[in-house]
Amino acid sequence: MSAILEVKTTVEGFRLWPAALDAQTQADLVDAVLARLGEGPFYRPQTPGGRPFSVKMSNFGPLGWVSDRGGYRYQATHPQTGRAWPDIPPVLLALWDATVGGPRRPDACLVNLYRQGAKMGLHQDKDEADLGAPVLSVSLGDAAMFRIGPAQGGRTTGLKLESGDVCALTGPARLARHGIDRVMEGSSRLIPGGGRLNLTLRVAGLSPR
Ligand code: MD6
Ligand code: FE
């Protein structure tokens, strides 16, 4: 992984590396994602209240984030196929080491696909066993407006995330509220069939002992 440059943001603990991935790395990463989707296809989860998400999801790694009538949780198998999730693409683990690093590598990678007006409401990532470990996010394809604000609520800030941008919720921002307001459809040609892919790497499970 070549040196990547971090920029300061107004939210303490929210870290942003604009254009962290060059065009070739982005294309290779899309290929790595597509190659794994046969084994772990996209599906549309439901909220605990029974409403379908507008975003389609899959996961890579030992654990995957799922949502259904039973609530939010991590589990080792795909809810529709019953199979283990595909492995996390190695380039993402290298990116983790080059950015947030730390004592544990991620054991979960949520894959979000935004097409046809899909967006994601303000939420906190708090289903992980260790809320001290950072969450790292990679954006690919169409640009999107990301919104972030304090954990306890209050004023939020919007910023544009473009293909190849990497950001992280760390330290005081780990439980920040955040979401995707809008995707600029057609702003990128990276993803076959169009849209935006977001990959979020997490330390989800208990540390092995
Ligand atoms: C998205 N991202 O960019 C949604 N979560 O499509 C997230 O929910 C997210 O960007 C944790 C940390 C960074 C993120
Ligand atoms: Fe999130």
Side-chain angles (χ1 to χ4, degrees):
M1 186 74 47
S2 56
I4 52 182
L5 202 68
E6 180 175 0
V7 300
K8 271 258 164 274
T9 65
T10 53
V11 184
E12 195 191 343
F14 174 71
R15 303 176 60 186
L16 178 64
W17 295 266
L21 306 181
D22 64 27
Q24 188 61 54
T25 306
Q26 293 175 46
D28 291 347
L29 189 48
V30 170
D31 287 346
V33 169
L34 296 180
R36 285 164 174 77
L37 289 175
E39 216 180 309
F42 280 120
Y43 71 103
R44 199 182 291 275
Q46 290 201 351
T47 66
R51 283 167 49 102
F53 280 84
S54 60
V55 177
K56 288 183 165 190
M57 297 184 185
S58 188
N59 289 275
F60 302 144
L63 289 173
W65 186 87
V66 300
S67 172
D68 58 22
R69 287 277 188 184
Y72 303 141
R73 65 188 175 280
Y74 284 92
Q75 64 180 43
T77 54
H78 192 294
Q80 293 187 338
T81 68
R83 294 175 63 184
W85 304 104
D87 67 321
I88 298 176
V91 63
L92 290 176
L93 299 176
L95 182 67
W96 175 276
D97 293 341
T99 52
V100 291
R104 282 187 72 195
R105 275 184 147 182
D107 55 8
C109 176
L110 174 63
V111 188
N112 291 320
L113 177 65
Y114 296 77
R115 277 184 180 152
Q116 294 160 335
K119 51 194 176 176
M120 186 172 298
L122 279 180
H123 66 276
Q124 293 172 289
D125 286 28
K126 55 179 182 187
D127 302 312
E128 299 72 34
D130 174 7
L131 295 176
V135 181
L136 187 71
S137 158
V138 179
S139 293
L140 294 169
D142 287 345
M145 287 308 297
F146 181 77
R147 180 161 295 283
I148 183 166
Q152 60 277 15
R155 196 191 182 94
T156 60
T157 308
L159 70 139
K160 192 173 172 182
L161 289 179
E162 294 186 90
S163 193
D165 290 355
V166 172
C167 66
L169 300 179
T170 73
R174 177 59 180 79
L175 289 176
R177 299 168 77 228
H178 60 279
I180 294 293
D181 285 351
R182 187 167 79 82
V183 174
M184 287 86 159
E185 276 176 57
S187 56
S188 160
R189 299 183 54 185
L190 182 68
I191 317 261
R196 172 174 185 264
L197 271 175
N198 175 255
L199 307 163
T200 42
L201 293 157
R202 303 190 174 94
V203 178
L206 293 168
S207 43
R209 44 168 288 157

